[in-house]
Amino acid sequence: MAPQIRRLQVAVSGLGRMGARHANHFLHRTPRAELVAAFTPDPKELAWAQANLEPWGVKIYSDFNEMLKHPGLEAVCVATATTVHAEQTIKAIEAGKHVLCEKPLSTELAISQNVLKVAKAHPNQKVMCGFSRRFDASYLAAYQTALSGSIGRPTILRSQTCDKYDPSGFFVAYAEFSGGIFVDCNIHDIDLALWFFSSSTKELPKVKSVMAVGVTALEPDLAKHGDVDNGVGVVEFHDGQIAYFYSSRMNAPGQHDMTEIIGTSGKLTVNANPTIGLTESHLPTGIHREIPQNYYERFENAFVEEARQFTDAVLDNLAVPIDMESSVEAVRIGVALQESLRNGKKIFFDKQGNKVEGGTRAKL
Amino acid sequence: MAPQIRRLQVAVSGLGRMGARHANHFLHRTPRAELVAAFTPDPKELAWAQANLEPWGVKIYSDFNEMLKHPGLEAVCVATATTVHAEQTIKAIEAGKHVLCEKPLSTELAISQNVLKVAKAHPNQKVMCGFSRRFDASYLAAYQTALSGSIGRPTILRSQTCDKYDPSGFFVAYAEFSGGIFVDCNIHDIDLALWFFSSSTKELPKVKSVMAVGVTALEPDLAKHGDVDNGVGVVEFHDGQIAYFYSSRMNAPGQHDMTEIIGTSGKLTVNANPTIGLTESHLPTGIHREIPQNYYERFENAFVEEARQFTDAVLDNLAVPIDMESSVEAVRIGVALQESLRNGKKIFFDKQGNKVEGGTRAKL
Amino acid sequence: MAPQIRRLQVAVSGLGRMGARHANHFLHRTPRAELVAAFTPDPKELAWAQANLEPWGVKIYSDFNEMLKHPGLEAVCVATATTVHAEQTIKAIEAGKHVLCEKPLSTELAISQNVLKVAKAHPNQKVMCGFSRRFDASYLAAYQTALSGSIGRPTILRSQTCDKYDPSGFFVAYAEFSGGIFVDCNIHDIDLALWFFSSSTKELPKVKSVMAVGVTALEPDLAKHGDVDNGVGVVEFHDGQIAYFYSSRMNAPGQHDMTEIIGTSGKLTVNANPTIGLTESHLPTGIHREIPQNYYERFENAFVEEARQFTDAVLDNLAVPIDMESSVEAVRIGVALQESLRNGKKIFFDKQGNKVEGGTRAKL
Amino acid sequence: MAPQIRRLQVAVSGLGRMGARHANHFLHRTPRAELVAAFTPDPKELAWAQANLEPWGVKIYSDFNEMLKHPGLEAVCVATATTVHAEQTIKAIEAGKHVLCEKPLSTELAISQNVLKVAKAHPNQKVMCGFSRRFDASYLAAYQTALSGSIGRPTILRSQTCDKYDPSGFFVAYAEFSGGIFVDCNIHDIDLALWFFSSSTKELPKVKSVMAVGVTALEPDLAKHGDVDNGVGVVEFHDGQIAYFYSSRMNAPGQHDMTEIIGTSGKLTVNANPTIGLTESHLPTGIHREIPQNYYERFENAFVEEARQFTDAVLDNLAVPIDMESSVEAVRIGVALQESLRNGKKIFFDKQGNKVEGGTRAKL
């Protein structure tokens, strides 16, 4: 019998590292979605698509605009390089499509704000930036506990994004376009701070100051791009909350992203005691366990859940789980941290998000 | 475009607790399989199937034999009550289908042996008993480590299956047909012992003796069915290996299945430090974490992987990951443990698996 | 100023591995006790004593009977080889001394019972067998929780004593006099079962059956002494409780003694997730931690606390924390397990502790 | 026989919370030391001393200068309020005594520097500031691993000191004299940074900048004293190392002090997975464990070890384990963090430790 289920008609733009994964998720792991098209300008990615997508009936395009005209297409997942996230998202919105865009919207605040403006002009379309951690079961469990009130008011948040060291020099090349470690890595942690700090009030917290420092411990060439391989950033918010972040490109055993949400009556930790799976080895050299080797090993299920919730939001006309204002605010903070890292200064903001001169006495 | 992929045409028999899950796995989470049919004689299950399977094009049958005649059907997943596992498996084999049968094959050894005989008579069909733990990522990681030799020769195995206490009396009703706690629960642990103890030699270990004891701590009515809510069993093998098991129906926080594989130069633990996810709560009452509430929360991904590997085995004509001899041996041991529990005696076997009188001095 | 504190006048008998430690504990870490004398017949131990005890004013004797006559001596800690525990304990009691005797009282039940008889004949003297785990902070915390009732009735107890593998052959030589692995190692686990199972009723549980198996995985010469390097034992009690034990001489990373106390509404674990200290190393090979290398690294503080509580019991005329009946019962069970290991049979007891023929149908 | 051992003649000054503990440690747990005198001006502390110290032969003084004249006195442990640490330490040094002074030397840098000057003028006397964590077994294990080189060059250090929330208002009163949360709590974390960052070079790292922020989440009255109940601080060093700190007075389950030492090839964690002891409870509400309730429960053994190592340093004329320059540097950094917290500014230092105007572009 032929299925009678309506399935969201989705295209994925970009079939690189994450694009190929998104394509697989919509193709095989999102029952209510049907991957119908994909775009890539890259010969290697095209070859992969011919082997892995075409046999399942997915049409491959080498022109993004053409792909947007695919018959019946309803939604686009933008997973190209960060530099074209905003442009493609805007085009897709203007073509009447729902959009799931990889993070960050852009490495520049003004461009991110423009995406938001376009999205707001199309209120009947769903537009969401894919902050995958919000779909991870452990973060969701923490969020539910925070909502329950058992930790009181979330007041301090510590969060880190630490990649396994890659000796190939990849990180240096990548830094040219990534926006820097705070925009590329800690953007996730910033997003978590915005999420948890607004859990009780449902209002986005307003940044008051940012300060960042960093070092190039293993990759001095990162300095060419104004970047570091280890960064520490501190963000104050106007309503008496503090988030502090660490990012690193030199974690030895693998990926170690962790978060603590510290409230007035309790604390939640996510991944304080990292592991992959439930196996330990008791050997003459001690007790050993392994951890994920990269963020996809850690967050694979979260990416799948992201695709599912985005699909549900479109099909059932629900609010998307992450609002765009928050994703723009994350860019504001990430860009400011990167700026502070580069100029060595603490940067202050008024409650409207405008930079102001600092030096006023802190009200303790 | 229409997909050009060949997908295994699968039916699921039984749509109860596990049957419905298997149906979902083949329908939505096994890309190379297509769920085309399902059988249930039960009105409630039928209603569920009409809402959840039919819209996806799955044909529902109320007669098992009719289902076997579904055009193009290639494989059947038998997930009915244990009492009909063997009968349906044999029918499906004889109808030329590949079969994935839920564990255990039967609560009786002779019947299990008969299934094996039929399967052997149809060497071109894949027949596998679904011991799901073998597909769990943590058990697979442990198995790979064991294969690597780093723990030496696996010599002692401890394994437990502990369910969350269910005060509804379900366990008492269930015990009437389950074969008892060693056949229903510890069968998984027995299977793990057979798997790990044959990891180096690739030969099934031969049981030498079994001994079991148990108590009814919370459900005295289990005694009516010769069953207990807490059981401890010890199994010796002829080649100098020992497995010991614990099963319980009264674990307070949830499901806690764990295993230790103890080799001559190291030990592997699976789930010694149980948790669900990576979240902990630091509250005035201490640090808290949660664990899975049932075996499906613990092993969901393993069941999906089982469906995928069974599908791959059929489509690519590979050996199934679990051979039938082993699954029959698991029944032999489980049934003997249950017998020992009931008659209070230690039971001895010769190397051919025949029961013998014990009392000979142990060769230490 | 001269101290005005009354301190218990203590002697230690035997200055081997544990004797020297006990001497140090009474000398330096038991404020209310004063180590005044020590006995050793061994030249090496004597040399150690001359360097480490005599300078602190401790008188060294090479004759146990002479030591008992040391002026003002009030208490003796018997820490010689197991074979003379009972004889020295009896002599010391008859000389009017309080006695703390290392475990086990004896490797023979009848001798242990004789010690108990002598102790009972001197009700004004404190006599205690040193089951050190009862003084460990983690076991004490578990015991307090059990007493609180939050796990319901303790019903199943699992406990293991696993030594780091010692390739020197020490274990073989040691097995000649140790009584075997169940009497030497699992005696601690047996004691824990007696302790926890009597926590609510304050009555010693009565053994109903024992069964043990074992293998010599690394030290085949243990068979000469009727012993194994890995043993599994199961003990049923007449009041519906089960304890099961594992002991090993081949644990790779170090000492791993652990216990689970499983009650009708909860479970307590002690050392399920073993570690020494709070340090972990995150290295390219994974995350690593270490565990204690021997039982003294694990239980040092418990031995000190044992000395303190024994001292307090004498000085303040309190009941000793471990009663002698329990320590004799531990010998009964340990010896029976070792016998079951050797003859391959399950051994049954009536409620008076007499062996009976088994084979009666178990009342489930 | 009378002991022939030479024991260090020690006095303790101040018998408050820590003073009484130090007195007990020297009296009962430091075999090579003899507590001969103690000073307290406080009637309540005097009563405690009369009950707990006098009976052991300790002479109690109500005048610090008189105590210094106690016949045979060799060393003084200064454990009074922070405000008199420096004065008493200087007096004791000038009276020819060895000194173990509680941390911090002072809440003012100049005063701390003066203590250092006096100590240097008496090179034959041992003077040490008691940073207890350096004597904790877990920190020592981490330090040995760092020394071994297996984590490469320590580059980033994260460390936190989090006290259990005390609703009595104690923290507000205490803040009047404590110097503030960075001087009182994070001084330990600063000391750890100095210790680990100099582990390879044996040279103290030179502070380059500090920046701190904080909030009063539960105790707004702390603002009166320029203090907070949650503080985050970041310290850059001139040689490319960064330490970042968190301190809190509102940790719900108890004391949680933890540290990560992140090197170029690995990371060490101390207390990432906090617990007190090895017991866990598996209850219907999940799995639970407890943590220390205060820093003494966490670090008791470290304080004892501190007393022993100080004693050994004097008796055996060894270098004290913590040099005074480091302890003064810790005050410099702690005071600067507190200043940054108060004025909201990032503070810069040249390589000589002088404050300079910042704003120069960071060299990445």
Side-chain angles (χ1 to χ4, degrees):
Chain A
M1 295 183 294
Q4 306 137 26
I5 293 286
R6 181 191 157 200
R7 293 202 284 164
L8 186 68
Q9 306 293 294
V10 179
V12 168
S13 173
L15 295 171
R17 193 167 55 161
M18 271 317 300
R21 291 166 181 160
H22 282 297
N24 273 323
H25 300 168
F26 280 108
L27 182 57
H28 295 310
R29 300 170 77 174
T30 312
R32 300 184 76 197
E34 186 173 4
L35 184 73
V36 293
F39 155 71
T40 176
D42 180 87
K44 251 165 115 178
E45 293 177 16
L46 176 64
W48 178 86
Q50 286 167 337
N52 293 282
L53 303 183
E54 272 190 356
W56 295 91
V58 181
K59 168 90 173 155
I60 313 299
Y61 292 87
S62 59
D63 182 301
F64 180 75
N65 296 320
E66 287 304 307
M67 185 193 75
L68 288 182
K69 297 178 198 153
H70 184 89
L73 182 69
E74 298 174 279
V76 177
C77 171
V78 175
T80 40
T82 297
T83 41
V84 288
H85 282 179
E87 177 195 332
Q88 291 192 348
T89 297
I90 289 170
K91 275 190 184 172
I93 296 172
E94 292 179 339
K97 311 304 175 195
H98 308 280
V99 181
L100 169 61
C101 178
E102 257 297 331
K103 51 65 35 185
L105 289 172
S106 167
T107 60
E108 291 183 41
L109 177 60
I111 294 176
S112 302
Q113 287 170 323
N114 199 33
V115 176
L116 171 61
K117 203 176 117 193
V118 174
K120 281 193 165 173
H122 296 74
N124 294 326
Q125 289 161 244
K126 308 298 178 189
V127 183
M128 182 174 96
C129 186
F131 282 104
S132 46
R133 291 189 201 169
R134 292 209 195 189
F135 303 94
D136 172 68
S138 297
Y139 278 104
L140 284 168
Y143 192 75
Q144 289 307 314
T145 306
L147 279 187
S148 79
S150 66
I151 63 160
R153 183 184 187 232
T155 302
I156 309 285
L157 185 138
R158 176 173 80 79
S159 198
Q160 72 178 34
T161 298
C162 295
D163 292 343
K164 186 178 173 76
Y165 180 56
D166 175 346
S168 73
F170 165 79
F171 289 130
V172 176
Y174 184 66
E176 187 171 356
F177 302 108
S178 74
I181 202 164
F182 289 103
V183 176
D184 182 51
C185 289
N186 283 135
I187 195 93
H188 282 293
D189 306 292
I190 297 166
D191 175 64
L192 292 172
L194 296 173
W195 190 34
F196 278 95
F197 283 166
S198 59
S199 61
S200 47
T201 60
K202 305 299 164 199
E203 293 202 11
L204 273 181
K206 297 174 196 333
V207 59
K208 178 181 169 191
S209 80
V210 309
M211 200 287 300
V213 297
V215 295
T216 54
L218 290 176
E219 296 288 357
D221 287 353
L222 285 168
K224 290 191 300 197
H225 304 304
D227 208 4
V228 292
D229 52 18
N230 284 268
V232 173
V234 181
V235 179
E236 283 182 292
F237 293 94
H238 276 287
D239 43 0
Q241 294 166 314
I242 295 170
Y244 66 111
F245 306 122
Y246 172 54
S247 50
S248 175
R249 304 291 197 185
M250 69 179 199
N251 199 49
Q255 189 80 19
H256 186 186
D257 301 340
M258 81 155 290
T259 303
E260 292 184 314
I261 305 102
I262 303 167
T264 44
S265 60
K267 174 168 72 171
L268 301 168
T269 62
V270 179
N271 207 21
N273 192 26
T275 185
I276 187 166
L278 299 165
T279 308
E280 290 196 325
S281 300
H282 295 228
L283 301 177
T285 44
I287 298 180
H288 310 281
R289 68 182 188 276
E290 296 188 2
I291 65 170
Q293 293 304 290
N294 52 60
Y295 71 91
Y296 190 66
E297 279 192 24
R298 170 65 184 88
F299 290 111
E300 178 176 342
N301 285 334
F303 284 110
V304 173
E305 182 64 18
E306 178 185 285
R308 289 182 192 167
Q309 289 200 20
F310 173 75
T311 299
D312 288 350
V314 175
L315 292 176
D316 303 337
N317 194 24
L318 307 168
V320 288
I322 307 173
D323 70 49
M324 289 291 286
E325 281 82 357
S326 174
S327 300
V328 171
E329 195 63 21
V331 173
R332 184 197 311 278
I333 294 170
V335 167
L337 283 165
Q338 199 74 23
E339 180 186 343
S340 173
L341 169 74
R342 287 166 182 167
N343 70 16
K345 294 188 178 173
K346 186 174 177 182
I347 298 172
F348 296 83
F349 294 87
D350 65 17
K351 292 188 179 181
Q352 284 69 45
N354 304 306
K355 283 190 211 168
V356 293
E357 281 305 303
T360 55
R361 181 177 163 72
K363 275 167 289 175
L364 291 179
Chain B
M1 296 183 297
Q4 306 137 27
I5 293 285
R6 180 191 157 202
R7 293 200 284 165
L8 185 68
Q9 307 293 292
V10 179
V12 168
S13 173
L15 296 172
R17 195 168 54 162
M18 271 317 299
R21 291 165 182 162
H22 282 296
N24 273 324
H25 300 169
F26 279 107
L27 181 57
H28 296 308
R29 301 171 76 173
T30 311
R32 300 183 76 196
E34 187 173 1
L35 184 73
V36 294
F39 155 70
T40 176
D42 180 88
K44 251 164 115 179
E45 294 177 17
L46 175 64
W48 178 86
Q50 285 167 336
N52 292 282
L53 302 183
E54 271 191 357
W56 296 91
V58 180
K59 168 88 171 158
I60 313 300
Y61 292 88
S62 58
D63 182 302
F64 180 76
N65 297 319
E66 287 305 306
M67 186 193 74
L68 288 182
K69 298 178 196 154
H70 185 90
L73 183 69
E74 298 174 279
V76 177
C77 172
V78 175
T80 39
T82 297
T83 41
V84 286
H85 283 179
E87 175 195 333
Q88 292 193 347
T89 296
I90 289 171
K91 276 189 184 173
I93 295 171
E94 292 180 339
K97 311 305 174 192
H98 308 279
V99 180
L100 169 61
C101 178
E102 257 298 331
K103 51 70 28 187
L105 290 171
S106 167
T107 58
E108 291 184 40
L109 176 59
I111 295 177
S112 302
Q113 287 170 323
N114 199 34
V115 176
L116 171 63
K117 203 177 119 192
V118 174
K120 282 194 165 172
H122 296 76
N124 295 327
Q125 288 161 246
K126 308 298 178 188
V127 183
M128 181 174 97
C129 187
F131 282 104
S132 46
R133 291 191 200 169
R134 293 210 194 188
F135 303 94
D136 173 67
S138 297
Y139 278 104
L140 284 167
Y143 192 76
Q144 289 307 313
T145 305
L147 279 186
S148 78
S150 65
I151 63 160
R153 181 184 190 236
T155 303
I156 309 286
L157 184 137
R158 176 174 79 80
S159 197
Q160 73 180 33
T161 297
C162 296
D163 293 342
K164 185 178 174 77
Y165 179 56
D166 176 345
S168 73
F170 166 79
F171 289 130
V172 175
Y174 184 67
E176 185 170 358
F177 301 107
S178 73
I181 203 163
F182 289 102
V183 175
D184 181 51
C185 290
N186 282 135
I187 195 92
H188 282 292
D189 306 292
I190 296 165
D191 176 64
L192 292 171
L194 297 173
W195 189 34
F196 277 94
F197 283 165
S198 60
S199 61
S200 47
T201 60
K202 305 297 163 201
E203 294 202 9
L204 272 183
K206 296 176 199 334
V207 59
K208 180 181 167 192
S209 79
V210 310
M211 199 287 299
V213 295
V215 294
T216 53
L218 290 177
E219 297 287 357
D221 285 353
L222 286 167
K224 290 190 300 196
H225 305 304
D227 208 3
V228 292
D229 51 19
N230 285 269
V232 173
V234 181
V235 178
E236 283 184 292
F237 292 94
H238 276 289
D239 42 0
Q241 294 166 314
I242 295 169
Y244 66 112
F245 306 123
Y246 173 54
S247 49
S248 175
R249 304 291 195 184
M250 71 179 199
N251 199 48
Q255 188 79 19
H256 186 187
D257 300 340
M258 82 154 292
T259 302
E260 292 185 315
I261 305 102
I262 303 167
T264 46
S265 61
K267 173 169 73 172
L268 301 167
T269 61
V270 178
N271 207 22
N273 192 25
T275 185
I276 187 166
L278 300 163
T279 308
E280 290 195 324
S281 300
H282 294 228
L283 301 178
T285 44
I287 299 181
H288 310 280
R289 67 183 189 278
E290 296 186 2
I291 66 170
Q293 292 305 291
N294 53 60
Y295 71 92
Y296 189 66
E297 278 192 25
R298 169 67 184 87
F299 290 111
E300 177 176 343
N301 286 333
F303 284 108
V304 173
E305 183 63 18
E306 178 185 287
R308 290 183 190 165
Q309 290 200 22
F310 172 74
T311 299
D312 288 351
V314 174
L315 291 176
D316 302 337
N317 194 21
L318 307 169
V320 289
I322 307 173
D323 69 49
M324 288 291 286
E325 279 83 359
S326 174
S327 300
V328 171
E329 194 63 21
V331 173
R332 183 197 311 277
I333 294 171
V335 167
L337 283 165
Q338 199 75 24
E339 180 185 343
S340 173
L341 168 74
R342 288 166 183 170
N343 70 17
K345 295 190 178 172
K346 187 173 175 182
I347 299 171
F348 296 84
F349 294 87
D350 65 19
K351 292 190 180 181
Q352 284 68 48
N354 305 306
K355 282 190 213 168
V356 291
E357 281 305 304
T360 57
R361 181 179 161 74
K363 276 167 287 177
L364 291 177
Chain C
M1 298 183 295
Q4 307 137 27
I5 293 285
R6 181 191 157 201
R7 293 202 285 163
L8 184 69
Q9 307 292 293
V10 179
V12 168
S13 172
L15 295 171
R17 193 168 56 160
M18 271 317 300
R21 291 166 182 161
H22 282 296
N24 273 324
H25 299 168
F26 279 107
L27 182 56
H28 295 309
R29 300 171 77 173
T30 311
R32 300 183 75 197
E34 186 173 4
L35 184 73
V36 294
F39 155 71
T40 177
D42 180 86
K44 252 165 114 180
E45 293 177 16
L46 176 64
W48 179 85
Q50 285 166 338
N52 292 282
L53 302 183
E54 272 192 356
W56 296 90
V58 180
K59 169 87 172 160
I60 314 300
Y61 292 87
S62 58
D63 182 300
F64 179 76
N65 297 319
E66 286 304 307
M67 186 193 74
L68 288 183
K69 297 179 198 153
H70 185 89
L73 182 68
E74 298 173 278
V76 177
C77 171
V78 174
T80 41
T82 296
T83 41
V84 286
H85 283 178
E87 175 194 333
Q88 291 192 349
T89 296
I90 289 170
K91 275 190 184 173
I93 295 171
E94 291 179 339
K97 310 303 174 195
H98 308 280
V99 181
L100 169 61
C101 178
E102 256 298 331
K103 52 68 28 187
L105 289 171
S106 167
T107 59
E108 292 184 38
L109 176 60
I111 294 177
S112 301
Q113 288 170 320
N114 199 32
V115 176
L116 171 62
K117 201 176 119 193
V118 174
K120 282 193 167 175
H122 298 74
N124 294 326
Q125 288 161 246
K126 308 297 178 188
V127 183
M128 181 174 97
C129 186
F131 283 103
S132 46
R133 291 190 200 168
R134 293 209 194 188
F135 303 95
D136 173 67
S138 298
Y139 278 104
L140 284 168
Y143 193 75
Q144 289 307 315
T145 305
L147 279 187
S148 78
S150 65
I151 63 161
R153 182 183 187 235
T155 303
I156 309 287
L157 185 139
R158 178 174 77 80
S159 197
Q160 72 178 33
T161 298
C162 296
D163 292 343
K164 187 179 173 76
Y165 180 56
D166 176 346
S168 73
F170 165 78
F171 289 129
V172 176
Y174 185 66
E176 186 171 358
F177 302 108
S178 73
I181 202 164
F182 289 102
V183 175
D184 182 49
C185 290
N186 282 135
I187 194 93
H188 283 292
D189 306 292
I190 297 165
D191 175 63
L192 292 171
L194 297 172
W195 190 33
F196 278 93
F197 283 165
S198 59
S199 60
S200 46
T201 59
K202 305 299 163 197
E203 292 202 12
L204 271 182
K206 295 176 198 333
V207 59
K208 178 182 168 192
S209 79
V210 309
M211 200 286 300
V213 295
V215 294
T216 55
L218 290 176
E219 297 286 359
D221 286 353
L222 285 167
K224 290 191 300 198
H225 305 303
D227 208 3
V228 292
D229 51 20
N230 285 269
V232 172
V234 180
V235 179
E236 282 183 291
F237 293 93
H238 276 287
D239 42 2
Q241 295 166 314
I242 295 169
Y244 65 111
F245 307 122
Y246 173 53
S247 50
S248 176
R249 304 293 196 184
M250 71 179 198
N251 199 49
Q255 189 80 20
H256 186 186
D257 300 341
M258 80 154 293
T259 302
E260 291 185 314
I261 304 102
I262 302 167
T264 44
S265 60
K267 174 169 73 171
L268 300 168
T269 62
V270 178
N271 207 21
N273 193 24
T275 185
I276 187 166
L278 300 165
T279 307
E280 290 196 324
S281 300
H282 295 228
L283 301 177
T285 44
I287 299 181
H288 309 281
R289 67 182 190 276
E290 296 186 2
I291 65 170
Q293 293 304 291
N294 52 59
Y295 71 92
Y296 190 66
E297 279 192 25
R298 169 68 184 86
F299 291 112
E300 177 176 343
N301 286 334
F303 284 109
V304 172
E305 182 64 19
E306 177 184 286
R308 289 182 192 167
Q309 289 200 22
F310 173 75
T311 300
D312 288 351
V314 175
L315 292 176
D316 303 337
N317 195 22
L318 308 168
V320 288
I322 307 173
D323 71 47
M324 289 291 286
E325 279 84 358
S326 174
S327 300
V328 171
E329 194 64 21
V331 174
R332 182 197 312 274
I333 295 171
V335 167
L337 282 165
Q338 199 74 25
E339 181 186 342
S340 172
L341 167 75
R342 288 167 182 168
N343 70 17
K345 295 191 177 171
K346 186 173 175 182
I347 298 172
F348 296 82
F349 294 87
D350 64 18
K351 292 189 178 180
Q352 284 69 47
N354 304 306
K355 282 190 214 168
V356 292
E357 280 305 302
T360 55
R361 181 178 163 75
K363 274 167 289 175
L364 291 179
Chain D
M1 297 182 295
Q4 307 137 27
I5 293 286
R6 180 192 156 200
R7 293 202 285 165
L8 185 69
Q9 307 293 293
V10 179
V12 168
S13 173
L15 295 172
R17 194 167 55 163
M18 272 316 301
R21 291 166 181 162
H22 282 296
N24 272 325
H25 300 170
F26 279 108
L27 181 57
H28 295 308
R29 301 171 75 174
T30 311
R32 299 184 76 197
E34 186 172 3
L35 184 73
V36 295
F39 155 71
T40 176
D42 179 90
K44 252 164 113 180
E45 293 177 16
L46 176 63
W48 178 85
Q50 285 167 337
N52 293 283
L53 302 183
E54 272 192 356
W56 295 91
V58 181
K59 168 90 172 157
I60 313 301
Y61 291 87
S62 58
D63 182 303
F64 180 76
N65 297 320
E66 286 305 305
M67 185 195 73
L68 288 182
K69 296 179 198 155
H70 185 90
L73 183 69
E74 297 174 280
V76 176
C77 171
V78 173
T80 40
T82 297
T83 41
V84 287
H85 283 179
E87 175 194 333
Q88 291 192 349
T89 297
I90 289 171
K91 274 190 184 172
I93 296 172
E94 291 180 340
K97 310 304 175 196
H98 308 279
V99 181
L100 169 61
C101 178
E102 256 298 330
K103 51 72 27 186
L105 289 171
S106 167
T107 59
E108 291 184 38
L109 177 60
I111 294 176
S112 301
Q113 288 171 322
N114 199 34
V115 176
L116 171 62
K117 202 176 119 192
V118 175
K120 281 194 165 172
H122 297 75
N124 294 328
Q125 289 161 246
K126 308 298 179 190
V127 183
M128 182 173 97
C129 186
F131 281 104
S132 46
R133 291 190 200 169
R134 294 209 194 188
F135 302 94
D136 172 68
S138 297
Y139 278 104
L140 284 167
Y143 193 75
Q144 289 306 314
T145 305
L147 279 186
S148 78
S150 65
I151 63 159
R153 182 185 189 235
T155 303
I156 309 287
L157 185 137
R158 176 173 79 79
S159 197
Q160 73 179 33
T161 298
C162 295
D163 292 341
K164 186 178 173 74
Y165 179 55
D166 176 346
S168 73
F170 165 78
F171 289 130
V172 176
Y174 185 67
E176 184 169 0
F177 301 107
S178 74
I181 201 162
F182 290 103
V183 175
D184 181 51
C185 289
N186 282 135
I187 196 93
H188 282 293
D189 306 291
I190 297 166
D191 176 65
L192 292 171
L194 297 172
W195 190 34
F196 278 94
F197 282 165
S198 60
S199 61
S200 47
T201 59
K202 304 297 162 203
E203 292 202 11
L204 272 182
K206 295 175 200 331
V207 58
K208 179 181 167 192
S209 79
V210 309
M211 198 287 299
V213 295
V215 293
T216 53
L218 289 177
E219 296 286 357
D221 287 352
L222 285 167
K224 290 190 300 197
H225 305 303
D227 208 3
V228 292
D229 51 18
N230 284 269
V232 172
V234 181
V235 178
E236 282 184 293
F237 293 94
H238 277 287
D239 42 1
Q241 294 165 315
I242 294 170
Y244 67 112
F245 306 122
Y246 172 54
S247 50
S248 175
R249 305 290 196 186
M250 70 179 198
N251 199 50
Q255 189 80 20
H256 186 187
D257 301 340
M258 80 154 292
T259 303
E260 292 185 316
I261 304 102
I262 303 166
T264 45
S265 59
K267 172 168 76 170
L268 300 168
T269 61
V270 179
N271 207 21
N273 193 25
T275 185
I276 187 165
L278 300 163
T279 307
E280 289 195 324
S281 300
H282 295 228
L283 301 177
T285 45
I287 299 181
H288 309 279
R289 67 184 190 277
E290 295 186 3
I291 65 170
Q293 294 303 292
N294 53 59
Y295 71 93
Y296 189 66
E297 278 193 25
R298 169 68 184 87
F299 290 112
E300 176 176 344
N301 286 334
F303 284 108
V304 172
E305 183 63 19
E306 178 184 284
R308 289 182 190 167
Q309 289 201 21
F310 173 75
T311 299
D312 288 350
V314 174
L315 292 176
D316 302 338
N317 195 21
L318 307 168
V320 287
I322 306 173
D323 70 48
M324 288 292 285
E325 280 83 358
S326 174
S327 299
V328 171
E329 195 64 21
V331 173
R332 183 197 311 278
I333 294 171
V335 167
L337 282 166
Q338 199 74 24
E339 180 186 343
S340 172
L341 168 75
R342 288 166 182 169
N343 69 18
K345 295 190 177 172
K346 187 174 176 182
I347 298 171
F348 297 83
F349 294 87
D350 65 19
K351 292 190 178 181
Q352 285 69 47
N354 304 308
K355 283 190 212 167
V356 292
E357 282 303 306
T360 55
R361 182 177 160 73
K363 276 168 288 177
L364 292 179

